[in-house]
Amino acid sequence: MPIALERHLNTSQLKAVETVDGALLVLAGAGSGKTRVITYRVLHMIDNLGIRPESILAVTFTNKAADQMKTRVRERLPAGRSADPWISTFHSLCVRLLRREIEALGYGRDFAIYDADDQVKVIRELLKSAGMDSVKPRRIQSRIGWAKNRGIAPGAMADHAFRAEDEAVGRVYADYESRLRADNALDFDDLLIKTVELFEKFPDTAARYGERFRYIMVDEYQDTNRAQYALIGHLARPHGNVCVVGDEDQSIYGWRGAEIQNILDFEKDYPDARTIRLEQNYRSTRTILAAAGAVVAHNRMRKGKQLWTENPQGSKIRYFEGHDPGHEAAFVSERILRRRRREPDARIAVLYRTNFLSRTLEEVFRRFDIPYQVVGGFSFYERAEVKDILSYLAAAVNPRDSVRLGRIINTPPRGIGRTTTDALQSWARAHHASLWDAIAGVADDSAAPARSRRALAAFRTLIEELAASAAEGIRTVELIRQVIEKTGYVAALEDEATEEAGSRIDNLRELANAAEEGAQRGESLRDFLDNAALVSDQDAWDENARVTLMTLHTAKGLEFPTVFIVGLEDGLFPHARSIDDDGDVEEERRLFYVGMTRAQERLYLTCARARRVFGSEDAAVTAVSRFLREIPPDLVDALSEPSFSEPAARMRGGYTGRSYDTTEAVRSVLDTRARTAPRSGAWKPGAKVRHAKFGLGTVLGIVGEGDDAKLTVSFNNHGLKKLIAKYATLEPA
DNA sequence: TACTGTAAAGTTTTT
DNA sequence: CTTTACAGTA
């Protein structure tokens, strides 16, 4: 039965769905039903037009978006089809293509994927052997990424030397590239770049995939970079059926090489392209939309859209200035509690520019007993123990992966220390060989110390055994079990018998579960490793979480009835690094626009008048974000007296929890807190306490008074600790 | 070789 | 403040 599109779509949406052949640009404003259009477009093609699902390719940026689209399409399509449409992220699409085709470029099909940490490790080693210890590896990494995303080769680095350091960067960059080739490894940028290179060198291959994917859709087109743009160009060449969806006002990845010009120039690139604007917003109140629109109107680089909505006016935007981050967080907490009293299941997001801002919020939320979920920071797959075990699996598949091998060569300790690894390094350099070859070389070298040789030979046997198991196609869970047994990894953790070691063991159990779940979906070991390499922070997000904390970047594509944007101070948002460049400020402004338009009904904007950097003694006085002044005043309800002109002296020492003016509401909550949570000086010997890191314990002794008191606490799992009351985050237990 | 303690550095946003 | 790197010692 054909899908009745008219019942689900407005006029513009319907036009976008029904325009299937040729090039199509859909300019979809925030909340205008973009995902709905893409989903129905796929359904329409398959169900109403009889297009084969496997000839449809939809590309997104995040796994989350891809999964969501897959689910929605699958739900509405009749069961029993031969295949699904290809819906995936740019990166996983490239991995799938390269796993089949990369041998044409001289790599092995089992290439490793290096993440940012791996890159830094490689660069650090290269710098060390070049004697350039003073340069920071992270800087080099970001410069290399900058160059790669703009198609600048190592040799051309000096020509493009926008910065003095770039000539040196060029040299490291060249070494870096050959090192990755020796390791049979690609970094994230390479995944895209090498696919494009493949298509350029082998037009037949490009044409083959172009023929296969006759209908192409790209989500968030404003965030595509040079390589992604070229990739789509190659795939669309045979037929020109390409539909890109995006919003130039939501382009927020310029720093990562995204070129807003790609969407602005789409009509030039595809001269017979049709353009459809989706301007009706279904998400936000009139007030929120008007405020966001007024802000983004300050940007010059726009195609221009006029969003409108039939939604009600809604309440004004609430603005609050705290004295410091603690005060700001207390305000947010109080408003969250108030909302939950009216509506226990309310979904609330707290958004910030930089990850470290979550710390104060988390601390205060815990004191208010507000459960929350932080999205970002480190994900499951970034935990040391998980990375360790995954490294064993990766090494079993590709022993040339020297980053993974280097990580596990002495983890857990097996007698391969500095001296031995130094010997390996110089052997590898002398023979232009990989770490793996060096291990064999030194183990067989009768001139090397017998102890090292024994340890290395044992390690080599271990990896070879694991590789043999992997080659047999043994279940991933089973291989994990072998790793744990043969290395004694979990046994070592069990010996530690600490709370932390216990949670690490739990994490490994979780890893085994993930492997088993993957296996049941039919994933191979290789697939499992690829997925682990490509998961993002957003993927761990539980949509049902009541209170979610995340960066503004992560929030893109999501919506919440209530949204807080915190830390609205110049230098923080817009970020100090962007403030000097008009283009960069425009991108920050778009980011603010993205944040505001996440809100459906209630939007709170907050800042702190003083903020500490690195926990310094005195908190620096802040200036209110310039973006706040771009909101029409009549849309805003100020909940505190703006007083940024106050003398700095008043802010000294930061937030004490006493003696400041604020709204009655915050004060009452703070008072409650003061009654329930004793001030830090109030502990008595014998009191049971809980520490964020050490867990449960008992206070044994106290020296001094108040905040300066030094406590001696006996923790159940960490033994005796001496703590200073002011800094220790102790709670009564 | 492995562990412990002290010094220094660090915070932009992410597939 | 927190985390990481490195040096010195068992």
Side-chain angles (χ1 to χ4, degrees):
Chain A
M1 187 173 36
I3 300 169
L5 298 172
E6 297 80 9
R7 285 177 43 199
H8 304 282
L9 303 166
N10 68 28
T11 319
S12 321
Q13 291 174 334
L14 186 65
K15 212 155 93 192
V17 165
E18 288 181 332
T19 309
V20 167
D21 291 308
L24 175 66
L25 168 63
V26 181
L27 291 173
S32 64
K34 183 188 66 175
T35 314
R36 165 176 295 243
V37 164
I38 298 178
T39 308
Y40 276 99
R41 204 164 177 273
V42 174
L43 294 171
H44 174 63
M45 284 195 263
I46 297 174
D47 241 27
N48 296 353
L49 304 180
I51 291 168
R52 293 190 0 264
E54 60 271 33
S55 66
I56 300 171
L57 171 69
V59 200
T60 64
F61 274 83
T62 64
N63 298 300
K64 190 109 203 151
D67 289 344
Q68 193 184 1
M69 212 175 286
K70 269 185 222 163
T71 316
R72 292 209 191 166
V73 169
R74 217 171 270 158
E75 269 170 7
R76 291 189 171 85
L77 275 181
R81 276 157 305 108
S82 56
D84 285 326
W86 273 56
I87 302 176
S88 84
T89 63
F90 271 106
H91 292 267
S92 53
L93 169 69
C94 289
V95 170
R96 285 175 79 174
L97 294 179
L98 290 174
R99 290 261 176 244
R100 303 164 72 104
E101 312 287 348
I102 200 169
E103 280 170 350
L105 294 176
Y107 288 84
R109 288 170 70 158
D110 283 323
F111 63 85
I113 301 170
Y114 281 0
D115 66 14
D117 282 351
D118 300 330
Q119 289 180 287
V120 168
K121 267 188 195 133
V122 169
I123 292 165
R124 183 172 290 135
E125 280 173 32
L126 293 174
L127 288 175
K128 213 176 230 170
S129 54
M132 299 165 63
D133 291 18
S134 58
V135 205
K136 286 177 198 131
R138 269 222 61 102
R139 267 216 73 68
I140 306 279
Q141 186 239 356
S142 91
R143 288 308 285 167
I144 290 179
W146 179 90
K148 277 192 163 192
N149 277 313
R150 283 157 188 78
I152 300 168
M157 205 56 188
D159 304 336
H160 291 266
F162 289 97
R163 300 164 196 237
E165 69 202 3
D166 279 353
E167 214 191 301
V169 172
R171 284 199 299 273
V172 183
Y173 180 10
D175 290 347
Y176 171 85
E177 291 285 270
S178 49
R179 166 70 190 275
L180 256 64
R181 197 167 257 280
D183 287 1
N184 194 30
L186 303 186
D187 61 30
F188 279 138
D189 296 327
D190 285 336
L191 294 177
L192 305 169
I193 291 167
K194 295 295 174 189
T195 309
V196 172
E197 191 182 320
L198 176 80
F199 284 171
E200 268 158 17
K201 286 192 176 151
F202 304 94
D204 291 356
T205 309
R208 204 168 77 236
Y209 284 101
E211 288 299 334
R212 168 170 185 175
F213 300 122
R214 292 209 61 88
Y215 297 92
I216 298 171
M217 262 177 267
V218 188
D219 192 16
E220 309 280 18
Y221 192 66
Q222 76 283 351
D223 287 334
T224 49
N225 66 22
R226 181 198 180 98
Q228 287 156 339
Y229 171 85
L231 180 68
I232 296 302
H234 282 294
L235 289 175
R237 187 152 303 139
H239 44 71
N241 297 327
V242 57
C243 163
V244 306
V245 185
D247 178 0
E248 78 276 12
D249 290 334
Q250 296 190 62
S251 160
I252 56 176
Y253 286 104
W255 52 273
R256 212 170 76 186
E259 292 177 8
I260 193 170
Q261 222 52 40
N262 289 348
I263 192 165
L264 297 177
D265 290 347
F266 185 80
E267 288 149 309
K268 275 188 219 150
D269 295 332
Y270 298 85
D272 53 356
R274 301 233 261 149
T275 300
I276 295 171
R277 286 181 158 75
L278 303 182
E279 297 183 308
Q280 180 175 2
N281 172 294
Y282 294 93
R283 180 184 295 153
S284 309
T285 63
R286 273 169 211 231
T287 302
I288 292 169
L289 211 56
V295 168
V296 80
H298 284 76
N299 277 356
R300 286 174 36 243
M301 291 195 299
R302 302 184 70 205
K303 267 177 145 20
K305 278 184 310 305
Q306 193 56 53
L307 280 188
W308 59 278
T309 184
E310 287 174 354
N311 289 344
Q313 188 72 36
S315 50
K316 286 191 176 181
I317 291 164
R318 277 76 156 223
Y319 171 57
F320 179 81
E321 282 177 12
H323 289 264
D324 55 39
H327 188 200
E328 182 188 26
F331 169 78
V332 175
S333 305
E334 186 271 331
R335 288 287 155 154
I336 290 175
L337 291 173
R338 201 196 269 208
R339 171 94 329 243
R340 287 206 318 200
R341 269 200 299 277
R342 287 163 173 260
E343 193 190 342
D345 292 331
R347 284 174 59 249
I348 296 167
V350 185
L351 310 180
Y352 35 78
R353 175 66 232 267
T354 59
N355 270 309
F356 79 94
L357 286 182
S358 75
R359 185 178 299 169
T360 315
L361 292 161
E362 289 186 68
E363 232 166 68
V364 176
F365 284 178
R366 268 201 292 270
R367 294 192 181 171
F368 280 92
D369 281 329
I370 297 172
Y372 60 87
Q373 194 189 348
V374 185
V375 186
F378 33 15
S379 76
F380 178 73
Y381 287 100
E382 283 171 314
R383 290 170 206 274
E385 61 277 13
V386 174
K387 276 197 136 180
D388 286 343
I389 301 303
L390 286 176
S391 295
Y392 277 101
L393 304 186
V397 174
N398 175 21
R400 278 165 67 193
D401 180 340
S402 62
V403 167
R404 302 285 134 69
L405 217 53
R407 183 182 179 93
I408 56 177
I409 193 165
N410 203 30
T411 315
R414 52 170 69 89
I416 304 177
R418 261 275 309 278
T419 343
T420 311
T421 46
D422 281 352
L424 289 172
Q425 292 251 342
S426 56
W427 196 97
R429 247 199 318 277
H431 294 76
H432 293 286
S434 69
L435 177 60
W436 178 239
D437 295 330
I439 290 169
V442 176
D444 294 340
D445 180 3
S446 52
R451 205 157 50 138
S452 304
R453 291 180 57 193
R454 251 200 318 279
L456 288 173
F459 180 65
R460 173 161 67 147
T461 311
L462 169 69
I463 298 298
E464 278 169 348
E465 284 171 2
L466 294 173
S469 296
E472 277 169 28
I474 163 183
R475 286 178 85 76
T476 308
V477 205
E478 197 45 50
L479 189 58
I480 292 175
R481 208 165 285 148
Q482 278 190 23
V483 170
I484 285 170
E485 257 168 47
K486 291 185 174 169
T487 61
Y489 196 97
V490 168
L493 286 174
E494 279 168 349
D495 287 346
E496 275 184 46
T498 61
E499 198 177 342
E500 199 191 330
S503 90
R504 289 188 168 182
I505 294 172
D506 288 343
N507 287 335
L508 293 180
R509 215 164 271 143
E510 197 49 44
L511 182 70
N513 288 342
E516 187 51 32
E517 278 168 26
Q520 303 211 344
R521 283 194 301 268
E523 288 174 12
S524 66
L525 171 60
R526 191 68 262 181
D527 296 333
F528 180 65
L529 289 170
D530 283 349
N531 287 339
L534 297 174
V535 289
S536 76
D537 296 339
Q538 239 196 62
D539 302 322
W541 182 54
D542 173 9
E543 296 193 32
N544 299 316
R546 304 289 154 74
V547 179
T548 306
L549 277 69
M550 63 181 127
T551 65
L552 289 144
H553 283 87
T554 308
K556 189 160 77 152
L558 308 175
E559 61 183 19
F560 303 86
T562 304
V563 168
F564 293 84
I565 303 178
V566 304
L568 281 163
E569 297 140 39
D570 248 35
L572 209 55
F573 193 22
H575 195 271
R577 285 213 161 90
S578 312
I579 245 160
D580 297 329
D581 181 290
D582 287 351
D584 290 349
V585 171
E586 289 209 356
E587 178 153 316
E588 298 273 312
R589 188 177 283 112
R590 290 192 291 270
L591 187 58
F592 187 41
Y593 175 78
V594 166
M596 293 175 87
T597 53
R598 299 309 97 197
Q600 294 169 297
E601 291 162 36
R602 281 165 296 275
L603 176 61
Y604 287 90
L605 305 175
T606 72
C607 63
R609 287 174 204 155
R611 197 177 288 275
R612 246 175 256 279
V613 246
F614 297 141
S616 59
E617 186 76 14
D618 292 334
V621 177
T622 59
V624 64
S625 172
R626 60 192 68 186
F627 298 149
L628 283 170
R629 286 194 290 273
E630 298 171 356
I631 304 174
D634 55 309
L635 300 178
V636 180
D637 186 7
L639 298 181
S640 55
E641 285 299 306
S643 54
F644 268 91
S645 53
E646 280 184 43
R650 213 182 134 189
M651 316 305 169
R652 298 228 153 203
Y655 172 61
T656 59
R658 290 185 302 261
S659 67
Y660 59 88
D661 319 295
T662 179
T663 60
E664 202 48 44
V666 172
R667 192 184 299 162
S668 81
V669 174
L670 287 172
D671 286 349
T672 319
R673 190 193 111 200
R675 276 200 304 279
T676 50
R679 283 195 57 77
S680 43
W683 305 111
K684 291 188 175 65
K688 302 277 187 214
V689 295
R690 178 191 300 278
H691 185 273
K693 259 203 204 115
F694 304 134
L696 291 174
T698 310
V699 177
L700 297 184
I702 300 172
V703 182
E705 279 182 2
D707 280 351
D708 296 327
K710 294 182 181 64
L711 303 174
T712 310
V713 184
S714 165
F715 289 101
N716 300 356
N717 292 317
H718 288 77
L720 280 187
K721 298 276 175 193
K722 284 198 199 308
L723 306 165
I724 297 182
K726 186 164 34 171
Y727 301 120
T729 41
L730 285 175
E731 294 169 32

